[in-house]
Short mmCIF file of all heavy atoms in Angstrom, two decimals:
data_model
loop_
_atom_site.label_atom_id
_atom_site.label_comp_id
_atom_site.label_asym_id
_atom_site.label_seq_id
_atom_site.Cartn_x
_atom_site.Cartn_y
_atom_site.Cartn_z
N TRP A 1 -7.83 29.08 21.28
CA TRP A 1 -9.30 28.97 21.44
C TRP A 1 -9.95 30.07 20.71
O TRP A 1 -10.43 31.05 21.26
CB TRP A 1 -9.61 29.10 22.97
CG TRP A 1 -10.90 28.49 23.41
CD1 TRP A 1 -12.05 29.19 23.58
CD2 TRP A 1 -11.12 27.16 23.76
NE1 TRP A 1 -13.04 28.32 23.98
CE2 TRP A 1 -12.49 27.10 24.14
CE3 TRP A 1 -10.34 26.02 23.85
CZ2 TRP A 1 -13.07 25.90 24.56
CZ3 TRP A 1 -10.94 24.86 24.31
CH2 TRP A 1 -12.28 24.80 24.66
N GLY A 2 -9.88 29.99 19.36
CA GLY A 2 -10.46 31.04 18.53
C GLY A 2 -9.57 32.31 18.62
O GLY A 2 -8.41 32.27 18.31
N ASN A 3 -10.14 33.39 19.10
CA ASN A 3 -9.45 34.62 19.24
C ASN A 3 -8.76 34.77 20.60
O ASN A 3 -8.27 35.84 20.93
CB ASN A 3 -10.39 35.84 19.04
CG ASN A 3 -10.92 35.88 17.61
OD1 ASN A 3 -10.21 35.49 16.70
ND2 ASN A 3 -12.14 36.33 17.45
N SER A 4 -8.75 33.74 21.35
CA SER A 4 -8.18 33.78 22.70
C SER A 4 -7.35 32.55 22.98
O SER A 4 -7.23 31.66 22.13
CB SER A 4 -9.29 33.90 23.77
OG SER A 4 -10.06 32.71 23.76
N GLY A 5 -6.73 32.49 24.11
CA GLY A 5 -5.92 31.32 24.52
C GLY A 5 -6.41 30.80 25.83
O GLY A 5 -6.73 31.55 26.76
N CYS A 6 -6.52 29.48 25.95
CA CYS A 6 -6.93 28.81 27.17
C CYS A 6 -5.68 28.32 27.87
O CYS A 6 -5.00 27.40 27.43
CB CYS A 6 -7.85 27.67 26.83
SG CYS A 6 -8.61 26.86 28.20
N ILE A 7 -5.35 28.98 28.99
CA ILE A 7 -4.12 28.68 29.74
C ILE A 7 -4.33 27.55 30.76
O ILE A 7 -5.43 27.47 31.32
CB ILE A 7 -3.57 29.97 30.36
CG1 ILE A 7 -2.10 29.75 30.84
CG2 ILE A 7 -4.45 30.44 31.51
CD1 ILE A 7 -1.38 31.07 31.19
N TRP A 8 -3.28 26.78 31.00
CA TRP A 8 -3.38 25.70 31.99
C TRP A 8 -1.99 25.43 32.59
O TRP A 8 -0.97 25.77 31.95
CB TRP A 8 -3.93 24.42 31.34
CG TRP A 8 -3.06 23.87 30.25
CD1 TRP A 8 -3.10 24.25 28.91
CD2 TRP A 8 -2.03 22.91 30.35
NE1 TRP A 8 -2.18 23.56 28.25
CE2 TRP A 8 -1.46 22.72 29.07
CE3 TRP A 8 -1.52 22.18 31.42
CZ2 TRP A 8 -0.43 21.82 28.82
CZ3 TRP A 8 -0.48 21.29 31.17
CH2 TRP A 8 0.05 21.15 29.93
N LEU A 9 -1.98 24.91 33.80
CA LEU A 9 -0.76 24.51 34.47
C LEU A 9 -1.11 23.41 35.43
O LEU A 9 -2.06 23.49 36.19
CB LEU A 9 -0.18 25.70 35.25
CG LEU A 9 1.13 25.36 35.99
CD1 LEU A 9 2.12 26.54 35.91
CD2 LEU A 9 0.93 24.97 37.44
N LEU A 10 -0.34 22.33 35.41
CA LEU A 10 -0.48 21.21 36.31
C LEU A 10 0.89 20.89 36.84
O LEU A 10 1.88 20.87 36.12
CB LEU A 10 -1.09 20.02 35.59
CG LEU A 10 -2.49 20.21 35.03
CD1 LEU A 10 -2.89 19.08 34.10
CD2 LEU A 10 -3.47 20.36 36.17
N GLY A 11 0.97 20.60 38.16
CA GLY A 11 2.26 20.35 38.73
C GLY A 11 2.29 19.33 39.83
O GLY A 11 1.29 18.82 40.25
N THR A 12 3.51 19.17 40.38
CA THR A 12 3.77 18.29 41.51
C THR A 12 3.98 19.19 42.73
O THR A 12 4.16 20.41 42.62
CB THR A 12 5.03 17.45 41.27
OG1 THR A 12 6.19 18.31 41.37
CG2 THR A 12 5.00 16.74 39.94
N ASP A 13 3.97 18.57 43.92
CA ASP A 13 4.23 19.33 45.14
C ASP A 13 5.65 19.91 45.13
O ASP A 13 5.90 20.91 45.84
CB ASP A 13 4.07 18.44 46.36
CG ASP A 13 2.59 18.23 46.65
OD1 ASP A 13 1.77 19.11 46.52
OD2 ASP A 13 2.26 17.04 47.08
N ASP A 14 6.56 19.37 44.33
CA ASP A 14 7.93 19.88 44.29
C ASP A 14 8.03 21.24 43.63
O ASP A 14 9.14 21.87 43.67
CB ASP A 14 8.85 18.87 43.59
CG ASP A 14 9.20 17.71 44.47
OD1 ASP A 14 8.97 17.79 45.73
OD2 ASP A 14 9.74 16.71 43.99
N ILE A 15 6.99 21.76 43.03
CA ILE A 15 7.08 23.10 42.47
C ILE A 15 7.38 24.13 43.55
O ILE A 15 7.95 25.18 43.35
CB ILE A 15 5.81 23.51 41.68
CG1 ILE A 15 6.12 24.71 40.76
CG2 ILE A 15 4.61 23.68 42.57
CD1 ILE A 15 5.17 25.00 39.69
N LYS A 16 6.99 23.76 44.83
CA LYS A 16 7.30 24.66 45.98
C LYS A 16 8.78 24.87 46.10
O LYS A 16 9.20 25.88 46.68
CB LYS A 16 6.71 24.05 47.25
CG LYS A 16 5.22 23.99 47.28
CD LYS A 16 4.75 23.27 48.52
CE LYS A 16 3.28 22.95 48.46
NZ LYS A 16 2.85 22.07 49.56
N LEU A 17 9.61 23.88 45.73
CA LEU A 17 11.05 23.98 45.86
C LEU A 17 11.62 25.05 44.93
O LEU A 17 12.76 25.48 45.15
CB LEU A 17 11.69 22.61 45.56
CG LEU A 17 11.25 21.46 46.44
CD1 LEU A 17 11.84 20.13 45.97
CD2 LEU A 17 11.65 21.71 47.92
N LEU A 18 10.89 25.42 43.93
CA LEU A 18 11.26 26.41 42.93
C LEU A 18 10.49 27.68 43.05
O LEU A 18 10.47 28.49 42.15
CB LEU A 18 11.09 25.76 41.56
CG LEU A 18 11.70 26.36 40.35
CD1 LEU A 18 13.25 26.33 40.49
CD2 LEU A 18 11.32 25.57 39.08
N LYS A 19 9.83 27.88 44.18
CA LYS A 19 8.84 28.94 44.35
C LYS A 19 9.35 30.33 43.96
O LYS A 19 8.74 31.03 43.18
CB LYS A 19 8.34 28.95 45.77
CG LYS A 19 7.24 29.94 46.02
CD LYS A 19 6.74 29.84 47.49
CE LYS A 19 5.65 30.83 47.76
NZ LYS A 19 5.17 30.70 49.12
N ILE A 20 10.45 30.73 44.48
CA ILE A 20 10.98 32.09 44.20
C ILE A 20 11.31 32.28 42.74
O ILE A 20 10.91 33.24 42.14
CB ILE A 20 12.17 32.42 45.15
CG1 ILE A 20 11.68 32.48 46.58
CG2 ILE A 20 12.84 33.74 44.73
CD1 ILE A 20 12.77 32.58 47.64
N THR A 21 12.05 31.33 42.17
CA THR A 21 12.41 31.41 40.77
C THR A 21 11.17 31.37 39.88
O THR A 21 11.01 32.17 38.94
CB THR A 21 13.37 30.25 40.36
OG1 THR A 21 14.51 30.33 41.19
CG2 THR A 21 13.75 30.31 38.89
N PHE A 22 10.25 30.50 40.24
CA PHE A 22 8.99 30.34 39.45
C PHE A 22 8.22 31.66 39.53
O PHE A 22 7.84 32.18 38.43
CB PHE A 22 8.18 29.19 40.06
CG PHE A 22 6.82 29.07 39.41
CD1 PHE A 22 6.65 28.60 38.17
CD2 PHE A 22 5.64 29.34 40.15
CE1 PHE A 22 5.41 28.44 37.56
CE2 PHE A 22 4.39 29.20 39.56
CZ PHE A 22 4.28 28.73 38.28
N LEU A 23 8.01 32.20 40.66
CA LEU A 23 7.24 33.44 40.77
C LEU A 23 7.93 34.62 40.13
O LEU A 23 7.28 35.48 39.54
CB LEU A 23 6.93 33.74 42.25
CG LEU A 23 5.94 32.77 42.92
CD1 LEU A 23 5.75 33.08 44.41
CD2 LEU A 23 4.58 32.78 42.24
N ARG A 24 9.22 34.65 40.22
CA ARG A 24 10.03 35.74 39.65
C ARG A 24 9.81 35.82 38.13
O ARG A 24 9.82 36.87 37.55
CB ARG A 24 11.52 35.54 39.97
CG ARG A 24 12.37 36.73 39.50
CD ARG A 24 13.84 36.53 39.83
NE ARG A 24 14.04 36.41 41.26
CZ ARG A 24 14.84 35.50 41.82
NH1 ARG A 24 15.51 34.62 41.05
NH2 ARG A 24 14.97 35.42 43.11
N HIS A 25 9.63 34.66 37.49
CA HIS A 25 9.51 34.62 36.04
C HIS A 25 8.09 34.57 35.50
O HIS A 25 7.85 34.77 34.31
CB HIS A 25 10.29 33.43 35.51
CG HIS A 25 11.76 33.64 35.61
ND1 HIS A 25 12.44 33.18 36.73
CD2 HIS A 25 12.66 34.20 34.78
CE1 HIS A 25 13.72 33.49 36.58
NE2 HIS A 25 13.91 34.09 35.44
N CYS A 26 7.09 34.33 36.35
CA CYS A 26 5.71 34.13 35.91
C CYS A 26 5.17 35.30 35.16
O CYS A 26 4.55 35.09 34.07
CB CYS A 26 4.79 33.87 37.13
SG CYS A 26 4.82 32.16 37.69
N LYS A 27 5.33 36.50 35.65
CA LYS A 27 4.75 37.67 35.02
C LYS A 27 5.36 37.93 33.63
O LYS A 27 4.61 38.29 32.70
CB LYS A 27 4.81 38.84 35.91
CG LYS A 27 3.87 38.74 37.11
CD LYS A 27 3.77 40.00 37.89
CE LYS A 27 2.74 39.79 39.06
NZ LYS A 27 2.61 40.95 39.91
N SER A 28 6.66 37.71 33.46
CA SER A 28 7.26 37.94 32.16
C SER A 28 6.82 36.84 31.17
O SER A 28 6.60 37.15 30.00
CB SER A 28 8.78 38.03 32.27
OG SER A 28 9.31 36.83 32.77
N VAL A 29 6.69 35.62 31.63
CA VAL A 29 6.21 34.55 30.79
C VAL A 29 4.73 34.82 30.34
O VAL A 29 4.40 34.67 29.18
CB VAL A 29 6.33 33.17 31.42
CG1 VAL A 29 5.60 32.09 30.64
CG2 VAL A 29 7.79 32.79 31.62
N LEU A 30 3.93 35.26 31.31
CA LEU A 30 2.59 35.57 31.01
C LEU A 30 2.47 36.77 30.01
O LEU A 30 1.67 36.76 29.09
CB LEU A 30 1.76 35.89 32.27
CG LEU A 30 0.28 36.18 32.08
CD1 LEU A 30 -0.42 34.97 31.43
CD2 LEU A 30 -0.36 36.52 33.44
N SER A 31 3.31 37.72 30.19
CA SER A 31 3.32 38.87 29.24
C SER A 31 3.68 38.39 27.86
O SER A 31 3.07 38.85 26.87
CB SER A 31 4.37 39.93 29.76
OG SER A 31 4.34 41.03 28.91
N PHE A 32 4.64 37.48 27.77
CA PHE A 32 4.97 36.91 26.44
C PHE A 32 3.79 36.15 25.86
O PHE A 32 3.47 36.33 24.67
CB PHE A 32 6.17 35.96 26.61
CG PHE A 32 6.45 35.12 25.40
CD1 PHE A 32 7.11 35.69 24.32
CD2 PHE A 32 6.04 33.77 25.34
CE1 PHE A 32 7.38 34.88 23.15
CE2 PHE A 32 6.29 33.03 24.21
CZ PHE A 32 6.95 33.59 23.13
N LEU A 33 3.12 35.38 26.64
CA LEU A 33 1.90 34.62 26.18
C LEU A 33 0.84 35.59 25.74
O LEU A 33 0.11 35.32 24.80
CB LEU A 33 1.46 33.67 27.26
CG LEU A 33 2.40 32.52 27.59
CD1 LEU A 33 1.85 31.75 28.79
CD2 LEU A 33 2.64 31.60 26.38
N ASN A 34 0.67 36.73 26.47
CA ASN A 34 -0.38 37.67 26.13
C ASN A 34 -0.09 38.41 24.82
O ASN A 34 -0.95 39.00 24.24
CB ASN A 34 -0.53 38.70 27.24
CG ASN A 34 -1.81 38.53 28.05
OD1 ASN A 34 -1.83 38.82 29.22
ND2 ASN A 34 -2.86 38.05 27.42
N LYS A 35 1.17 38.43 24.38
CA LYS A 35 1.46 39.03 23.10
C LYS A 35 0.85 38.18 21.93
O LYS A 35 0.43 38.67 20.93
CB LYS A 35 2.96 39.19 22.91
CG LYS A 35 3.54 40.30 23.74
CD LYS A 35 5.02 40.45 23.50
CE LYS A 35 5.71 41.46 24.31
NZ LYS A 35 5.01 42.18 25.31
N ARG A 36 0.83 36.87 22.17
CA ARG A 36 0.23 35.98 21.17
C ARG A 36 -1.26 35.94 21.26
O ARG A 36 -1.97 35.85 20.24
CB ARG A 36 0.80 34.55 21.40
CG ARG A 36 0.19 33.48 20.56
CD ARG A 36 0.79 33.41 19.18
NE ARG A 36 0.31 32.25 18.48
CZ ARG A 36 -0.48 32.33 17.44
NH1 ARG A 36 -0.79 33.49 16.91
NH2 ARG A 36 -0.90 31.27 16.84
N HIS A 37 -1.77 35.97 22.48
CA HIS A 37 -3.22 35.92 22.73
C HIS A 37 -3.56 37.14 23.62
O HIS A 37 -3.16 37.19 24.79
CB HIS A 37 -3.62 34.64 23.43
CG HIS A 37 -3.27 33.42 22.71
ND1 HIS A 37 -4.08 32.95 21.67
CD2 HIS A 37 -2.27 32.53 22.85
CE1 HIS A 37 -3.53 31.86 21.19
NE2 HIS A 37 -2.42 31.58 21.88
N LYS A 38 -4.32 38.08 23.05
CA LYS A 38 -4.66 39.27 23.85
C LYS A 38 -5.63 38.93 24.99
O LYS A 38 -5.66 39.61 26.00
CB LYS A 38 -5.33 40.33 22.93
CG LYS A 38 -4.41 40.86 21.85
CD LYS A 38 -3.18 41.52 22.44
CE LYS A 38 -2.26 42.07 21.38
NZ LYS A 38 -0.93 42.28 21.84
N ILE A 39 -6.33 37.84 24.82
CA ILE A 39 -7.24 37.34 25.89
C ILE A 39 -6.81 35.93 26.30
O ILE A 39 -6.73 35.07 25.43
CB ILE A 39 -8.73 37.33 25.41
CG1 ILE A 39 -9.13 38.69 24.98
CG2 ILE A 39 -9.60 36.74 26.49
CD1 ILE A 39 -10.51 38.70 24.26
N ILE A 40 -6.50 35.76 27.56
CA ILE A 40 -6.15 34.42 28.09
C ILE A 40 -7.15 34.10 29.17
O ILE A 40 -7.43 34.96 30.06
CB ILE A 40 -4.72 34.43 28.66
CG1 ILE A 40 -3.71 34.69 27.52
CG2 ILE A 40 -4.39 33.12 29.33
CD1 ILE A 40 -2.27 34.73 27.97
N HIS A 41 -7.65 32.87 29.16
CA HIS A 41 -8.72 32.55 30.12
C HIS A 41 -8.72 31.09 30.41
O HIS A 41 -8.07 30.29 29.78
CB HIS A 41 -10.08 32.95 29.55
CG HIS A 41 -10.37 32.22 28.26
ND1 HIS A 41 -11.10 31.03 28.26
CD2 HIS A 41 -10.00 32.43 27.00
CE1 HIS A 41 -11.14 30.56 27.00
NE2 HIS A 41 -10.53 31.43 26.25
#
């Protein structure tokens, strides 16, 4: 989105089954995405 990135996520109710693994990796994935886009919104 120009100088920034527009982030999105859509899921099913079954994402709850992966809750701990998902949350454990979210911040590192976001950090990776923030290297490409300094502003995510």
Side-chain angles (χ1 to χ4, degrees):
W1 202 266
N3 294 328
S4 64
C6 187
I7 194 166
W8 61 275
L9 181 141
L10 297 168
T12 72
D13 284 322
D14 283 347
I15 196 164
K16 294 175 193 171
L17 302 173
L18 195 62
K19 184 177 180 178
I20 293 170
T21 302
F22 175 70
L23 291 175
R24 185 180 301 136
H25 290 90
C26 279
K27 289 187 178 180
S28 61
V29 170
L30 183 60
S31 183
F32 170 78
L33 294 172
N34 253 148
K35 287 182 183 1
R36 174 82 173 114
H37 301 281
K38 297 300 180 199
I39 301 170
I40 296 178
H41 63 93

